[in-house]
Amino acid sequence: MKRDALSVLQRSALVLDVFPGGTALTLAEVTTRTGLPRSTTHRLLVDLAELGWLSRRGNTFELGLALFELGERVGLKHRLRTAAVPFMQDLFAVTEQTVHLAVRDGHDAVYVEKIHGHSSFPLPSQIGGRLPLTCTAVGKALLAPEDPAVQEGVLSRPLRRYTPRSITDPKVLARELDSIRRTGIAIEREEAAMGGCCLASPVLLAGEPIAALSVSVPTDRFAPELLAPAVRTAALALGRMLARTSTGHPEE
């Protein structure tokens, strides 16, 4: 759809979507990223700031507290984060490495919680940020248990390359998804960022993948045989807890 054919709501969503988590942008930067006219962008930024969806500091804007408050009203997401944090803390205590909680949104994995590890290697993940399902352990863990039609929709599109190790052959990825479906363990080796590997497991509710837990480790310390039992156990336990709170009584 052409930028000049977008509704005000669509343009507002476009503006909000270009803001990275925790980063302020100038009018010029937002204009460049959205492709909207400068005058339109300025008007939208001012209106969104008045609503509290953006916060203005001098000549820069950043995501506002009102968006956070609105997001916290989303039932499953709020319940998922609240339930997941203790399990993430346990994983962090055992591994001392970065722990992620992610959900699927279309063809991407969206990071909804993160506990930073002690290692200083760079990670492309950030809370509220998104990466392709196909080159992240959480993404592959979310995709593997999905219906064939969902998988086909992802595999039929060009697979994005983030590093020389990103999987871009759909047949190779399809075989990997089959393995993940059998084992409940997804592994990513420097496919999203060089220098880091990740191991993830899906969180299932009534057999459906609603989230994924992962641990990210520097490549030279990656030992999947040691990480897999802890990550798989945490994901299973989180799924059971969510099932209990969904039904209002313990599982039989």
Side-chain angles (χ1 to χ4, degrees), residues 69-134:
E69 294 171 339
L70 190 63
E72 287 301 298
R73 298 179 197 171
V74 180
L76 177 60
K77 179 181 174 183
H78 178 69
R79 184 160 55 90
L80 174 64
R81 289 177 65 183
T82 301
V85 166
F87 297 99
M88 297 177 69
Q89 290 172 336
D90 287 345
L91 277 176
F92 177 75
V94 171
T95 65
E96 296 186 345
Q97 303 295 335
T98 300
V99 179
H100 293 106
L101 174 70
V103 298
R104 182 174 77 87
D105 182 30
H107 295 84
D108 296 328
V110 178
Y111 293 90
V112 297
E113 191 57 85
K114 178 178 181 178
I115 298 178
H116 294 269
H118 298 308
S119 300
S120 58
F121 75 101
L123 286 169
S125 59
Q126 59 181 355
I127 297 177
R130 61 178 63 218
L131 287 170
L133 294 171
T134 56

Side-chain angles (χ1 to χ4, degrees), residues 85-249:
V85 166
F87 297 99
M88 297 177 69
Q89 290 172 336
D90 287 345
L91 277 176
F92 177 75
V94 171
T95 65
E96 296 186 345
Q97 303 295 335
T98 300
V99 179
H100 293 106
L101 174 70
V103 298
R104 182 174 77 87
D105 182 30
H107 295 84
D108 296 328
V110 178
Y111 293 90
V112 297
E113 191 57 85
K114 178 178 181 178
I115 298 178
H116 294 269
H118 298 308
S119 300
S120 58
F121 75 101
L123 286 169
S125 59
Q126 59 181 355
I127 297 177
R130 61 178 63 218
L131 287 170
L133 294 171
T134 56
C135 68
T136 57
V138 288
K140 289 186 281 187
L142 287 163
L143 185 59
E146 282 286 2
D147 293 337
V150 174
Q151 294 187 14
E152 179 60 27
V154 173
L155 296 177
S156 63
R157 297 160 58 98
L159 304 186
R160 286 173 278 181
R161 181 187 294 276
Y162 273 62
T163 76
R165 298 190 179 223
S166 299
I167 297 174
T168 56
D169 186 336
K171 293 181 180 179
V172 173
L173 185 56
R175 289 196 295 269
E176 189 167 327
L177 294 177
D178 286 339
S179 175
I180 296 167
R181 193 159 43 249
R182 292 193 304 270
T183 64
I185 295 296
I187 292 176
E188 174 256 307
R189 301 178 188 270
E190 297 185 311
E191 296 168 42
M194 298 302 293
C197 298
C198 189
L199 185 144
S201 188
V203 178
L204 303 177
L205 184 60
E208 299 293 327
I210 62 163
L213 284 173
S214 74
V215 175
S216 296
V217 182
T219 301
D220 58 1
R221 300 184 206 169
F222 189 51
E225 68 280 3
L226 300 179
L227 291 173
V231 176
R232 183 70 178 135
T233 298
L236 287 170
L238 175 56
R240 287 195 294 267
M241 174 177 284
L242 291 170
R244 289 196 298 270
T245 59
S246 293
T247 59
H249 56 78

Side-chain angles (χ1 to χ4, degrees), residues 43-76:
R43 184 171 64 254
L44 289 170
L45 288 172
V46 171
D47 290 345
L48 290 169
E50 289 179 353
L51 290 170
W53 292 7
L54 290 177
S55 175
R56 185 172 189 173
R57 295 184 180 180
N59 65 343
T60 65
F61 297 82
E62 59 185 346
L63 296 178
L65 186 59
L67 279 180
F68 171 78
E69 294 171 339
L70 190 63
E72 287 301 298
R73 298 179 197 171
V74 180
L76 177 60

